[in-house]
Amino acid sequence: MSQPFVPPLDLQSLLSPHREAIAAAVAEVIDSCHYVLGPKVEAFEEAFAAYSESAHCIGVNSGTSALHLATRLLDIGPGDEVITTPYTFASSAWCASYQGATPVFVDIDPATFCIDPAAVEAAVTPRTKAIVAVHLYGHPCEMDALKAICQKHDLALIEDAAQAHGARYKGKRVGAIGDMGCFSFYPTKNLPCAGEGGALTTDCDKLAARGRSLRNHGSTVRYFHEEVGYNYRMEAIQGAVLGVLLPNLEGWTEARRRLAHRYHELLDGLPLQLPREAEGCESVYHLYTVLAPERDKLIATLKEQGVGTSNHYPRAMHLQPCYADLGYKEGSLPAAERAAREAVNLPMFPTMTLEQQDTVCAALRAYFG
Ligand SMILES: Cc1ncc(COP(=O)(O)O)c(C=O)c1O
């Protein structure tokens, strides 16, 4: 008898226990007629600032908006360079391009998929203004090394923590280590909302005050605009949903970590590169990503066995058509390119059952004979 399908992510099973609480919070918003920002967003901002151990949290309408706010807050502009990883979601680079600056892509550490500090150091020029460090798949970047580079060259450090809510580097929450942290609450993320949502965190009072104004048309007093701003406001319904779900995040993270450690044990010895936590890092396993040389064949076989996988970044950013004018050649950033060719995300979600995980591991063992 064939096994039931194991999806890469099962949002239904994650959210259905919270359906009534979510519905009640959303109904409150609808009845209040206060649909944008307002008390639900403020309450979530306060709770998420505390959770992420930052002085300030500014709720916005996506992780992409949070990243753009960060580069705008640093007054990055044409002629400036922002160093980031090519193996990430596009927004990590958009935040440079939106400001007319140039993203500079450097290679990753093949073991963690995070930006390689030595490659960052080698890419610093007099035009460099900031580093966007992406805590990819929930694993923290080498923050001490990146901070040291920033101090040496007077650069800002932006953390793209879109996939890493609650991850810790040497005991500190990511997003609270650099100058600003940028989070996404897109429904597939570790802390989902019911649509688009994001947040910017910082310990700096000045950046926070200006960020609040910029997300709201550059305005703190209605119809008076201190500077040209954006409509990046968080909707009240998203604040309400996030307020209900945030208290579950720690438990979800523990479940992800337990599942990841069980994957490590069950898949040990197979010809796959498994994720490993670097020293001092506590990953939140947004994804459990392995490298497999014949990736497409593996994905097809797993599908036949009822195992759903995903692959997020089949083409690294430095080789995307939108950045062709930057002149990167294939082979220039080999670790990122290998990850783009070989990465497979195995099913990973807090409500995955051990039976589902056994199905995944049995299918992998059968594949490798
Ligand atoms: C690493 C990373 N950065 C930024 C983003 C952008 O977030 P959003 O989709 O909320 O705009 C995402 C989400 O897709 C992401 O995974």
Side-chain angles (χ1 to χ4, degrees):
M1 213 176 76
S2 70
Q3 298 272 4
F5 184 67
V6 185
L9 164 68
D10 183 357
L11 210 50
Q12 191 84 34
S13 71
L14 189 72
L15 296 184
S16 58
H18 310 286
R19 194 184 177 286
E20 276 179 29
I22 292 171
V26 169
E28 254 185 78
V29 172
I30 291 169
D31 293 342
S32 76
C33 293
H34 200 144
Y35 299 133
V36 179
L37 298 176
K40 290 285 187 199
V41 171
E42 283 163 25
F44 170 69
E45 288 176 334
E46 203 175 306
F48 194 71
Y51 175 83
S52 50
E53 298 171 4
S54 282
H56 305 280
C57 167
I58 300 161
V60 293
N61 57 358
S62 71
T64 305
S65 301
L67 282 159
H68 182 208
L69 264 191
T71 51
R72 172 69 193 271
L73 283 165
L74 295 167
D75 295 316
I76 283 168
D80 294 339
E81 293 174 353
V82 176
I83 299 175
T84 193
T85 162
Y87 188 60
T88 180
F89 186 67
S91 307
S92 317
W94 291 161
C95 65
S97 303
Y98 287 173
Q99 287 296 108
T102 305
V104 174
F105 297 108
V106 303
D107 216 349
I108 55 170
D109 172 344
T112 62
F113 303 121
C114 290
I115 197 163
D116 175 358
V120 172
E121 173 88 67
V124 173
T125 74
R127 292 166 181 258
T128 310
K129 287 289 176 321
I131 298 169
V132 177
V134 184
H135 305 300
L136 202 76
Y137 303 151
H139 189 287
C141 295
E142 263 306 323
M143 296 307 284
D144 279 353
L146 294 175
K147 272 188 95 158
I149 294 167
C150 288
Q151 269 155 14
K152 182 170 159 197
H153 300 282
D154 193 21
L155 310 177
L157 184 51
I158 300 169
E159 291 179 73
D160 181 341
Q163 303 184 357
H165 321 67
R168 289 190 187 274
Y169 175 82
K170 298 194 176 166
K172 279 207 86 175
R173 294 278 201 212
V174 303
I177 302 169
D179 296 285
M180 285 173 272
C182 303
F183 292 86
S184 167
F185 306 119
Y186 187 77
T188 55
K189 297 294 192 283
N190 286 29
L191 178 61
C193 67
E196 303 277 1
L200 181 130
T201 54
T202 182
D203 281 341
C204 173
D205 298 348
K206 261 174 99 172
L207 288 175
R210 190 169 166 227
R212 280 184 201 287
S213 165
L214 279 174
R215 79 160 166 193
N216 187 26
H217 298 288
S219 171
T220 42
V221 177
R222 208 164 189 199
Y223 303 125
F224 289 86
H225 305 277
E226 292 104 37
E227 55 183 326
V228 175
Y230 315 97
N231 179 358
Y232 284 171
R233 297 175 298 218
M234 179 179 270
E235 293 188 343
I237 283 179
Q238 304 312 337
V241 171
L242 288 163
V244 169
L245 295 180
L246 178 60
N248 300 287
L249 180 56
E250 216 46 18
W252 288 340
T253 297
E254 281 166 24
R256 285 178 185 275
R257 288 181 56 77
R258 272 197 306 274
L259 288 163
H261 294 148
R262 193 160 179 268
Y263 264 141
H264 295 344
E265 283 166 24
L266 295 175
L267 301 179
D268 189 39
L270 293 184
L272 293 169
Q273 181 188 304
L274 304 181
R276 287 282 179 235
E277 285 172 312
E279 179 115 7
C281 293
E282 255 181 61
S283 174
V284 292
Y285 291 97
H286 172 59
L287 294 171
Y288 191 90
T289 304
V290 301
L291 294 189
E294 288 182 287
R295 189 244 319 266
D296 294 342
K297 195 172 140 206
L298 175 64
I299 288 175
T301 311
L302 288 178
K303 197 170 165 203
E304 281 166 20
Q305 301 294 313
V307 174
T309 56
S310 61
N311 165 250
H312 283 179
Y313 312 117
R315 187 183 290 190
M317 288 307 294
H318 66 295
L319 300 177
Q320 293 282 354
C322 62
Y323 285 132
D325 60 334
L326 297 179
Y328 291 91
K329 297 277 177 286
E330 215 165 319
S332 57
L333 301 174
E337 291 168 38
R338 178 178 169 220
R341 263 193 324 269
E342 298 189 4
V344 184
N345 308 322
L346 302 183
M348 168 55 80
F349 48 94
T351 44
M352 180 160 70
T353 64
L354 299 187
E355 290 72 26
Q356 286 177 313
Q357 192 175 33
D358 288 340
T359 302
V360 178
C361 296
L364 280 163
R365 289 214 162 268
Y367 174 82
F368 288 110

